[in-house]
């Protein structure tokens, strides 16, 4: 990949739409625009003013034939997305029109952009840091309002600022540590090992605070995993359909209807939630059903929240709640809500049996009818509280992703070693080494010290044209 090339790509999604945008970036942009786009106002044809939109036509420079009617704009560096000269052509959004316009731009001297190459250039040219580049992708893939809000914060530098604060504190600590290497005899601003250690603690606190946002970030990006489990025929698939307001899962009177896990994305309080319907759990000789049950148990283990469904119109003994006894080791990670379904039918077990079995475990119990929809609003607000806590107005903070987490954990580990070294009065050279490692790790988050192959991996996850 040569960063000096002028690149071009279709920036709008494939398919039919009102407008399709061809984006061109690099020193050749204006030349290419002039060849393939002719403004209707003659005076401007040779003299595009920067950041002005012109009405004109896309033409084939070889034949002079008109290809489409379009708007064209030239934006001179550095006030552009990539900080390079950029041109854009807004033609009609049909696959043929955008493809032909792109083809003309390529023939006029542009190279087809790689995935994420525009954003990569914005990063390499210093307009945005790596957390902002990743935020661009998060905005594009945000599925809910809260996901969008978190991504916009990161895009405007929320995470970068926090990381830069940590970097600055680390750099200062490094300078203080090195001072005693350079001037071992003199008492210039000399800080005893205990003081250095304490400063390390303050930096670690900031790192740990950021690390604690990882789970929230994961949920906003990938969705919270909500597994619906229980005995056959209790109404799990009906509940999935009711929550997603769809007919996604097959519902039938026959126990053992659902064999595979079925997923549907829903939105609870702005959080994306992946609702997973599972096969009813029971002893079964059928190999297909057995595999389904294995998947149910796996889904239960990976879930953030488990909805354990019981059929209130049948005996509880029939529904063998003991399969759920393995929950204890998972209790820390997974939170569960017990649901009594089918409350529109005459109820077999009243609250007494129930309270004895479940409430002593401190579990939430919600009564619903997946059929009539009764109680669903209570269930949803219960789930919402579990995710967001009782806070009414939830505002997502600067949230970290797995890449950030790994780097921050490395930095924290180096700081722990640094502190250990302070405690044992190790030489300043050794202490400085650990701090440099912490600095390097933190720098990776914003892209200062990120290896080339990691950068390529990050940008390759973008779509073409971004
Ligand atoms: N009256 C009533 N019937 C319900 C309710 N929920 C589900 N049913 C019925 O119960 C039967 C089983 O529903 P499903 O949703 O398929 O149950 P399931 O738990 O997914 O069953 P498996 O996939 O076999 O494990 C169907 O006949 C549903 O119509 C409810 O709230 N009230
Ligand atoms: Mg089912």
């Amino acid at each position: 990949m040569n960063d000096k090339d002028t690149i071009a790509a279709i920036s709008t999604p494939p398919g039919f739409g009102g407008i399709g945008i061809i984006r061109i970036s690099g020193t050749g942009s204006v030349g290419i625009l002039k060849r393939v786009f002719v403004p209707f106002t003659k005076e401007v044809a040779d003299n595009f003013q920067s950041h002005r939109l012109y009405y004109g036509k896309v033409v084939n420079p070889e034949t002079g034939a008109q290809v489409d009617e379009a708007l064209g704009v030239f934006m001179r560096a550095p006030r552009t997305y990539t900080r390079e000269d950029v041109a854009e052509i807004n033609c009609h959004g049909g696959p043929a029109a955008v493809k032909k316009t792109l083809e003309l731009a390529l023939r006029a001297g542009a190279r087809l952009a790689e995935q994420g190459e525009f954003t990569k250039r914005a990063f390499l040219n210093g307009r945005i840091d790596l957390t902002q580049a990743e935020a661009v992708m998060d905005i594009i893939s945000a599925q809910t309002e809260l996901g969008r809000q978190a991504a916009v914060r990161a895009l405007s530098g929320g995470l970068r600022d926090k990381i830069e604060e940590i970097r600055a504190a680390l750099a200062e600590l490094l300078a203080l540590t090195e001072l005693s290497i350079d001037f071992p005899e003199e008492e210039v601003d000399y800080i005893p090992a205990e003081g250095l250690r304490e400063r390390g603690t303050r930096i670690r606190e900031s790192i740990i605070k950021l690390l604690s946002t990882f789970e929230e970030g994961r949920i906003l990006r990938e969705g919270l995993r909500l597994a619906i489990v229980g005995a056959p025929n209790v109404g799990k698939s009906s509940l999935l359909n009711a929550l997603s307001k769809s007919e996604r899962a097959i519902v039938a009177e026959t126990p053992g209807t659902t064999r595979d896990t079925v997923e549907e994305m829903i939105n609870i309080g702005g959080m994306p939630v992946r609702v997973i319907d599972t096969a009813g759990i029971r002893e079964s000789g059928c190999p297909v059903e057995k595999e389904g049950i294995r998947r149910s148990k796996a889904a239960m283990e990976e879930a953030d929240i488990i909805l354990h469904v019981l059929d209130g119109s049948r005996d509880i003994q029939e529904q063998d709640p003991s399969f759920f006894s393995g929950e204890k080791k998972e209790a820390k990670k997974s939170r569960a809500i017990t649901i009594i379904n089918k409350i529109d039918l005459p109820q077999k077990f009243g609250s007494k049996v129930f309270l004895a079995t479940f409430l002593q475990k401190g579990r939430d119990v919600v009564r619903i009818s997946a059929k009539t929809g009764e109680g669903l609003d209570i269930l949803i607000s219960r789930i919402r509280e579990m995710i967001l806590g009782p806070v009414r107005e939830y505002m997502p903070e600067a949230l970290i992703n797995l890449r950030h987490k790994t780097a921050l954990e490395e930095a924290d580990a180096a700081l722990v070693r640094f502190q250990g070294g302070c405690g044992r009065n190790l030489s300043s050279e050794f202490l400085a080494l650990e701090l440099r490692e912490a600095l390097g790790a933190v720098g990776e988050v914003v892209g200062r010290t990120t290896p080339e192959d990691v950068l390529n991996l990050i940008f390759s996850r973008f779509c073409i044209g971004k």
Side-chain angles (χ1 to χ4, degrees):
M1 185 151 82
N2 187 344
D3 300 328
K4 293 283 176 289
D5 290 349
T6 295
I7 52 172
I10 301 168
S11 284
T12 39
F16 299 88
I19 296 168
I21 299 178
I22 313 299
R23 176 147 64 172
I24 307 164
S25 178
T27 43
S29 299
V30 74
I32 293 169
L33 181 69
K34 281 179 180 169
R35 294 197 67 193
V36 304
F37 174 79
V38 180
F40 285 133
T41 328
K42 297 229 163 37
E43 311 80 76
V44 299
D46 283 321
N47 188 23
F48 282 92
Q49 281 186 47
S50 187
H51 292 79
R52 288 204 125 193
L53 200 58
Y54 295 107
Y55 174 45
K57 59 186 177 182
V58 178
V59 292
N60 183 336
E62 283 154 32
T63 62
Q66 177 169 349
V67 171
D68 195 1
E69 222 173 69
L71 293 174
V73 58
F74 168 62
M75 293 172 272
R76 196 182 307 285
R79 285 195 301 128
T80 65
Y81 186 72
T82 53
R83 272 212 180 150
E84 301 170 338
D85 282 354
V86 169
E88 282 180 12
I89 301 172
N90 299 11
C91 59
H92 288 107
V98 285
K99 252 168 112 179
K100 185 70 191 174
T101 307
L102 173 66
E103 203 184 295
L104 294 175
L106 296 180
R107 257 196 274 157
R111 160 171 74 70
L112 185 64
E114 292 179 18
Q115 275 167 279
E117 200 172 353
F118 291 96
T119 310
K120 186 175 186 182
R121 288 185 174 198
F123 165 70
L124 291 175
N125 294 329
R127 193 179 69 79
I128 55 176
D129 80 303
L130 204 49
T131 65
Q132 290 171 301
E134 288 170 308
V136 168
M137 191 161 51
D138 282 343
I139 289 189
I140 293 173
S141 55
Q143 308 195 42
T144 61
E145 178 54 19
L146 287 178
R148 182 196 63 75
Q149 283 177 20
V152 166
R153 281 202 176 197
L155 184 63
S156 53
L159 181 56
R160 178 204 56 206
D161 292 348
K162 291 210 160 88
I163 295 290
E164 291 299 347
E165 267 170 37
I166 294 174
R167 267 182 49 84
L170 272 171
E172 195 193 332
L173 184 54
L174 178 61
L176 288 170
T177 307
E178 281 180 333
L179 215 56
S180 46
I181 305 177
D182 296 341
F183 308 97
E185 312 298 315
E186 297 164 45
E187 302 246 323
V188 270
D189 277 348
Y190 177 74
I191 297 193
E194 185 49 35
L196 295 178
R197 221 180 64 82
E198 256 172 39
R199 280 169 190 252
T201 302
R202 259 171 277 149
I203 300 175
R204 283 196 63 211
E205 278 167 5
S206 313
I207 292 178
I208 289 165
K209 199 167 156 211
L210 264 184
L211 278 171
S212 71
T213 66
F214 174 68
E215 270 300 294
E216 243 166 55
R218 179 184 67 73
I219 289 170
L220 281 180
R221 285 187 192 91
E222 295 167 22
L224 176 118
R225 286 178 297 239
L226 184 86
I228 307 179
V229 299
N233 211 45
V234 295
K236 300 178 295 299
S237 301
S238 306
L239 178 57
L240 171 84
N241 290 348
L243 286 173
S244 61
K245 302 188 181 78
S246 71
E247 298 297 323
R248 178 76 179 80
I250 300 172
V251 166
E253 282 166 30
T254 338
T257 298
T258 305
R259 296 301 179 90
D260 209 345
T261 49
V262 178
E263 283 192 30
E264 191 66 17
M265 203 61 143
I266 65 167
N267 177 340
I268 295 184
M271 283 269 184
V273 176
R274 274 164 57 193
V275 187
I276 307 157
D277 175 29
T278 65
I281 296 179
R282 64 173 171 185
E283 289 299 324
S284 168
C286 163
V288 180
E289 190 172 0
K290 264 190 173 155
E291 174 58 18
I293 292 170
R294 193 191 63 74
R295 290 180 187 202
S296 301
K297 289 181 174 164
M300 194 153 88
E301 255 162 46
E302 287 164 12
D304 296 297
I305 294 182
I306 294 174
L307 300 185
H308 178 208
V309 184
L310 293 161
D311 181 343
S313 70
R314 272 169 30 210
D315 248 344
I316 191 163
Q317 280 75 14
E318 285 174 32
Q319 303 174 42
D320 185 23
S322 65
F323 75 86
F324 215 58
S325 56
E327 84 182 288
K328 277 197 189 95
K329 68 173 192 302
E330 285 293 310
K332 268 182 272 127
K333 208 182 114 208
S334 302
R335 291 166 286 181
I337 300 177
T338 298
I339 292 172
I340 307 178
N341 187 31
K342 308 197 189 182
I343 55 168
D344 54 297
L345 298 176
Q347 297 293 286
K348 259 281 168 48
F349 51 87
S351 51
K352 272 190 201 137
V353 184
F354 209 73
L355 290 175
T357 325
F358 290 97
L359 280 192
Q360 66 183 19
K361 294 183 180 170
R363 178 113 42 81
D364 255 338
V365 177
V366 181
R367 290 165 190 275
I368 65 159
S369 166
K371 191 176 174 184
T372 66
E374 198 183 339
L376 277 183
D377 49 343
I378 297 174
L379 176 61
I380 287 170
S381 60
R382 220 33 85 70
I383 296 170
R384 189 181 183 283
E385 272 169 33
M386 271 192 171
I387 312 172
L388 303 176
V391 196
R392 281 175 62 100
E393 277 302 313
Y394 173 77
M395 286 290 269
E397 276 271 338
L399 303 173
I400 62 168
N401 64 26
L402 184 60
R403 189 184 72 78
H404 307 148
K405 178 174 178 251
T406 313
L408 287 171
E409 278 170 352
E410 255 171 53
D412 189 51
L415 270 172
V416 169
R417 289 195 299 273
F418 163 81
Q419 290 189 309
C422 291
R424 283 177 282 135
N425 279 318
L426 291 186
S427 75
S428 306
E429 279 92 347
F430 171 83
L431 299 178
L433 211 67
E434 297 297 358
L435 289 178
R436 279 206 199 88
E437 193 166 328
L439 260 175
V442 172
E444 274 185 37
V445 176
V446 284
R448 283 175 185 263
T449 47
T450 316
E452 178 73 21
D453 53 336
V454 176
L455 286 180
N456 288 338
L457 196 73
I458 292 170
F459 289 105
S460 70
R461 288 198 290 254
F462 277 67
C463 33
I464 292 260
K466 191 64 222 180

